[in-house]
Amino acid sequence: MARSTRVKAKVERAATELFAAQGVDGVSIGEIAALAGVSQGALYRHYPSKEDLAWALFATAYLRTGAELDEIRGRERGFEARVGAMAAHFCALYDRDPALFRFMLIAQHGFLPRIRPEERTPVDAVADTVGDAVRAGEIAPLDPLAAAAAIIGIVLQSAVFRIYGRLQGPLLAQAPGLARAALAAVRALAAPADAAPTGSQASTPSAVGGPT
């Protein structure tokens, strides 16, 4: 590996670790250079500013994940298999690089508006997977974006719990259960709004009193 490439890789790794721990605003260029073991001048030869570095890290990882989910969509057959594989992929991404995953969660609100409409994102891949399932008659019609929010939200919230120690062990071990929860959420969203309650729900008191 060329020296310039090694320096760039060390800078990106150091920035990822620091951004994940302290947020982009809480980190200085000097701290990144020190952790990477390079001079600030060497860092600036690759990135003109801390913000450019953070954006490059975010955009690269985010769009790469979108491409990986699109590959799963093309490879797997059937909605359940696709959701299961996507949930497992998200979990494996966390286990492989928790710092990068945490940085992505922290930085997304600031950087998502900079993603161009024509660029394929993880949300696009999941929403299109839902659309495929609706067209194939695997699930009832529903808003693909609402379903994508449910699927991604279930996995990401579990990652947040793992970050803060509320869940233990590899997140990949939770993937089958998370996939089942995501599928159940999608089917609930697709259920008719006036569907009759079943079981104990039929006699549950309403907010205004009396049986529902």
Side-chain angles (χ1 to χ4, degrees):
M1 183 185 292
R3 182 177 184 279
S4 176
T5 304
R6 290 197 302 271
V7 168
K8 186 170 183 285
K10 290 197 291 186
V11 165
E12 290 173 349
R13 185 69 246 169
T16 298
E17 297 287 346
L18 288 169
F19 291 157
Q22 300 169 216
V24 175
D25 292 340
V27 176
S28 69
I29 283 290
E31 289 173 312
I32 297 170
L35 184 60
V38 304
S39 68
Q40 292 190 40
L43 188 158
Y44 280 122
R45 279 194 287 274
H46 293 282
Y47 295 103
S49 70
K50 178 184 69 174
E51 288 70 26
D52 286 319
L53 171 54
W55 163 244
L57 290 172
F58 179 87
T60 298
Y62 190 68
L63 296 177
R64 181 177 63 233
T65 301
E68 291 164 349
L69 294 178
D70 271 332
E71 190 277 329
I72 290 171
R73 178 186 170 218
R75 182 186 74 230
E76 299 292 339
R77 291 293 174 263
F79 185 57
E80 291 190 8
R82 287 172 174 170
V83 171
M86 287 178 174
H89 188 71
F90 275 119
C91 292
L93 289 177
Y94 174 85
D95 290 340
R96 188 180 310 136
D97 196 341
L100 179 60
F101 207 100
R102 180 171 182 162
F103 162 65
M104 298 293 288
L105 290 174
I106 291 171
Q108 63 179 322
H109 303 295
F111 288 139
L112 282 177
R114 294 174 62 176
I115 298 292
R116 297 192 302 272
E118 67 271 18
E119 292 178 304
R120 292 286 298 175
T121 71
V123 173
D124 293 326
V126 177
D128 287 350
T129 296
V130 174
D132 293 340
V134 171
R135 286 186 291 275
E138 295 181 87
I139 56 175
L142 78 166
D143 181 349
L145 285 174
I151 294 168
I152 295 172
I154 285 169
V155 178
L156 293 192
Q157 190 59 45
S158 298
V160 170
F161 272 46
R162 181 64 185 83
I163 287 169
Y164 292 106
R166 293 179 179 272
L167 290 176
Q168 302 298 321
L171 198 59
L172 187 57
Q174 306 289 334
L178 295 176
R180 289 192 297 272
L183 289 166
V186 170
R187 291 185 174 116
L189 287 169
D194 59 351
T198 60
S200 62
Q201 292 177 328
S203 60
T204 300
S206 68
V208 295
T212 56

